[in-house]
Amino acid sequence: MTKRESGRKFKMYVNGAWTTGESEESFEVVSPASGEPLATVPKGTAEDAKAAVEAAVAAQDTIAQMPIRERCKLGVRITEEIRRSVKEYAIDCSLEHGKPLRESLAEVEDAITNILWQVEDLKRWDSPVQEGYSKDNVLYMVLHEPLGTVASITPWNFPWVLPAEFVVQAMLAGNSVVFKPASNTPISAVHLVECIDRAGVPPGVINMVTGPGDEVGATLVEHPLVDGIGFTGETTTGLDIAKRAGLKKLTLELGGLGPLIIMGDAKIEPAVEDIAFGCFTTTGQCCVANERIFVHEDIHDRVVRALVDRVKKIKVGFPLDDATDMGPINNRATLQKVEKHVADAVKRGADVVAGGKRVPGMMTDLYYDPTVVDHVPRDALFNKVETFGPTAPIFEFADLDEAIEMANAPRYGLSMAIHTANLRVAMEAAKRLKAGQVCINEPVYSWDYFNPWGGFRNSGLGRIAGRWSLDAFSELKTIMINVGRSPWPG
Ligand code: NAD
């Protein structure tokens, strides 16, 4: 069940056909968990990206004019196809990503729930009708219209949920799509597109081009016939896209530096559980990972002691082993960034109180201990740049003003959290924290299918999830009718 057949060669998908791409070159996908090659995938080019855009533009009317009822049926059929092979897909996801199988199973199931949620939202996607104010006898109807062709560019850390939200949702909103998945996790993308193909999505409506971001992704971003971009990835890439995209409608879901503020009156045990969940789920490689922990000076020592005890129980191991809580880091660049941030904090006077090194004797050298770093100073890299790894950097604070100032300072604002027993303090923090989401007595690492998902400041532009994705991938059009002119001409 867990062994993959060797020599798998996947293709990309353009205009309803599986293809090797114009260059016929490919790249290998190597498991960060075992070091084994898992498959090859076409190395798409700028020409492949242009061909996919042409196919998508030609298919625009097919999907835009498809009745909502039929689009909903397509969405449901995609989920039925995913459901047939959840475990198989989850195993590939764990092998190419490194996350434990139980997380991959939850993610593939989440992709199904996401799409079904979006289908229900599409059925109920309403818009206002209003009587004229400056004009008499006039009625205004506001309608949703698809953008046209959307480029969906996704990262490696959630290879099922993010394409479900961006690719399928853009189609449900009536757009044709060119999907460019991350090169570290393209196998999950291929499986999703296999489901899309089997579900009977018409040719050209969804296309997938695998290959390098700076060629395939950049071509899509600059292409004059692409009308909208749904991008999830690093803030630096998002900024580059914003500069090159011109007037395309942008939805950018970018990095976070998620802080958890633990006030002096907070309960220690749930706070520590939420730190462990927020810092080490997905090996810390999540946009809403708990990147910084601010602990009130009155309870600092007790929180750190309890956290160190909790971290000792986290079992690092091969993702397909049942006992594994945390798998490897997905790639070498991320591992090196984690090591750099730990070394930088230590150089500035911080103490590593748990972990702080690679785990010896594993199948690859990408396994890293769950790590707690205490007494981190404010000028450390941990407090400036997303680490994206299994680290819990602890900072001390004296009062709420100081904690809020520290939380907001780096100008990232995706998800933030506070633990406190005082509702007034919680609500004051919720209002003053500059983030798309504030969690009270919950982990930073939290979301649901329907909350408007997105960040303030360096964490992005626009909102997705549920009906918010429909809004992201559409335009509003006003139709104005004079209802007082009677009889109507003709
Ligand atoms: P990344 O920016 O390196 O890559 C994301 C995608 O963009 C990939 O498909 C890549 O090939 C492509 N790309 C790279 N350069 C490009 C270019 N010049 N033009 C167009 N496309 C290009 O990000 P990553 O390392 O894959 O993902 C991790 C990042 O994603 C983290 O910063 C994380 O916080 C963020 N993220 C954010 C959210 C959110 O909801 N805000 C969710 C998940 C991940």
Side-chain angles (χ1 to χ4, degrees), residues 400 420-430:
L400 183 66
T420 176
N422 184 323
L423 184 60
R424 190 196 58 73
V425 168
M427 288 309 296
E428 182 185 339

mmCIF file of all heavy atoms in Angstrom, residues 400 420-430:
data_model
loop_
_atom_site.group_PDB
_atom_site.id
_atom_site.type_symbol
_atom_site.label_atom_id
_atom_site.label_comp_id
_atom_site.label_asym_id
_atom_site.label_seq_id
_atom_site.Cartn_x
_atom_site.Cartn_y
_atom_site.Cartn_z
ATOM 1 N N LEU A 400 0.311 44.607 27.981
ATOM 2 C CA LEU A 400 -0.388 44.394 26.706
ATOM 3 C C LEU A 400 0.120 45.337 25.610
ATOM 4 O O LEU A 400 0.299 44.920 24.463
ATOM 5 C CB LEU A 400 -1.904 44.577 26.910
ATOM 6 C CG LEU A 400 -2.762 44.309 25.672
ATOM 7 C CD1 LEU A 400 -2.703 42.840 25.254
ATOM 8 C CD2 LEU A 400 -4.207 44.730 25.891
ATOM 9 N N THR A 420 -5.930 34.675 27.320
ATOM 10 C CA THR A 420 -6.177 35.470 28.530
ATOM 11 C C THR A 420 -7.499 35.031 29.143
ATOM 12 O O THR A 420 -8.370 34.503 28.448
ATOM 13 C CB THR A 420 -6.236 36.983 28.207
ATOM 14 O OG1 THR A 420 -6.579 37.686 29.396
ATOM 15 C CG2 THR A 420 -7.249 37.319 27.142
ATOM 16 N N ALA A 421 -7.651 35.284 30.440
ATOM 17 C CA ALA A 421 -8.926 34.995 31.105
ATOM 18 C C ALA A 421 -9.825 36.232 31.110
ATOM 19 O O ALA A 421 -10.946 36.173 31.617
ATOM 20 C CB ALA A 421 -8.662 34.542 32.543
ATOM 21 N N ASN A 422 -9.345 37.355 30.547
ATOM 22 C CA ASN A 422 -10.052 38.617 30.657
ATOM 23 C C ASN A 422 -10.640 39.013 29.291
ATOM 24 O O ASN A 422 -9.898 39.318 28.348
ATOM 25 C CB ASN A 422 -9.043 39.674 31.156
ATOM 26 C CG ASN A 422 -9.693 41.010 31.398
ATOM 27 O OD1 ASN A 422 -10.595 41.435 30.677
ATOM 28 N ND2 ASN A 422 -9.218 41.699 32.426
ATOM 29 N N LEU A 423 -11.966 39.015 29.194
ATOM 30 C CA LEU A 423 -12.622 39.281 27.915
ATOM 31 C C LEU A 423 -12.330 40.703 27.411
ATOM 32 O O LEU A 423 -12.151 40.929 26.212
ATOM 33 C CB LEU A 423 -14.139 39.071 28.061
ATOM 34 C CG LEU A 423 -14.954 39.231 26.775
ATOM 35 C CD1 LEU A 423 -14.517 38.230 25.713
ATOM 36 C CD2 LEU A 423 -16.442 39.073 27.057
ATOM 37 N N ARG A 424 -12.252 41.669 28.342
ATOM 38 C CA ARG A 424 -11.977 43.049 27.917
ATOM 39 C C ARG A 424 -10.596 43.143 27.261
ATOM 40 O O ARG A 424 -10.425 43.745 26.199
ATOM 41 C CB ARG A 424 -12.056 43.997 29.130
ATOM 42 C CG ARG A 424 -12.011 45.469 28.741
ATOM 43 C CD ARG A 424 -11.714 46.372 29.910
ATOM 44 N NE ARG A 424 -10.444 46.065 30.575
ATOM 45 C CZ ARG A 424 -9.244 46.334 30.089
ATOM 46 N NH1 ARG A 424 -9.118 46.918 28.911
ATOM 47 N NH2 ARG A 424 -8.149 46.015 30.760
ATOM 48 N N VAL A 425 -9.604 42.476 27.889
ATOM 49 C CA VAL A 425 -8.239 42.475 27.332
ATOM 50 C C VAL A 425 -8.233 41.766 25.974
ATOM 51 O O VAL A 425 -7.628 42.231 25.004
ATOM 52 C CB VAL A 425 -7.264 41.786 28.327
ATOM 53 C CG1 VAL A 425 -5.917 41.511 27.680
ATOM 54 C CG2 VAL A 425 -7.087 42.655 29.572
ATOM 55 N N ALA A 426 -8.952 40.639 25.901
ATOM 56 C CA ALA A 426 -8.987 39.871 24.645
ATOM 57 C C ALA A 426 -9.559 40.722 23.518
ATOM 58 O O ALA A 426 -9.010 40.775 22.407
ATOM 59 C CB ALA A 426 -9.828 38.601 24.836
ATOM 60 N N MET A 427 -10.657 41.429 23.804
ATOM 61 C CA MET A 427 -11.294 42.215 22.750
ATOM 62 C C MET A 427 -10.480 43.453 22.396
ATOM 63 O O MET A 427 -10.443 43.860 21.237
ATOM 64 C CB MET A 427 -12.722 42.610 23.161
ATOM 65 C CG MET A 427 -13.685 41.438 23.155
ATOM 66 S SD MET A 427 -13.665 40.476 21.612
ATOM 67 C CE MET A 427 -14.256 41.668 20.422
ATOM 68 N N GLU A 428 -9.801 44.013 23.392
ATOM 69 C CA GLU A 428 -8.931 45.157 23.079
ATOM 70 C C GLU A 428 -7.809 44.701 22.141
ATOM 71 O O GLU A 428 -7.511 45.357 21.140
ATOM 72 C CB GLU A 428 -8.330 45.744 24.372
ATOM 73 C CG GLU A 428 -7.462 46.948 24.053
ATOM 74 C CD GLU A 428 -6.741 47.527 25.258
ATOM 75 O OE1 GLU A 428 -7.172 47.296 26.400
ATOM 76 O OE2 GLU A 428 -5.718 48.213 25.022
ATOM 77 N N ALA A 429 -7.224 43.538 22.467
ATOM 78 C CA ALA A 429 -6.154 43.018 21.608
ATOM 79 C C ALA A 429 -6.700 42.723 20.212
ATOM 80 O O ALA A 429 -6.076 43.065 19.199
ATOM 81 C CB ALA A 429 -5.562 41.753 22.226
ATOM 82 N N ALA A 430 -7.879 42.101 20.152
ATOM 83 C CA ALA A 430 -8.455 41.738 18.850
ATOM 84 C C ALA A 430 -8.607 42.971 17.965
ATOM 85 O O ALA A 430 -8.396 42.916 16.757
ATOM 86 C CB ALA A 430 -9.796 41.048 19.048
#
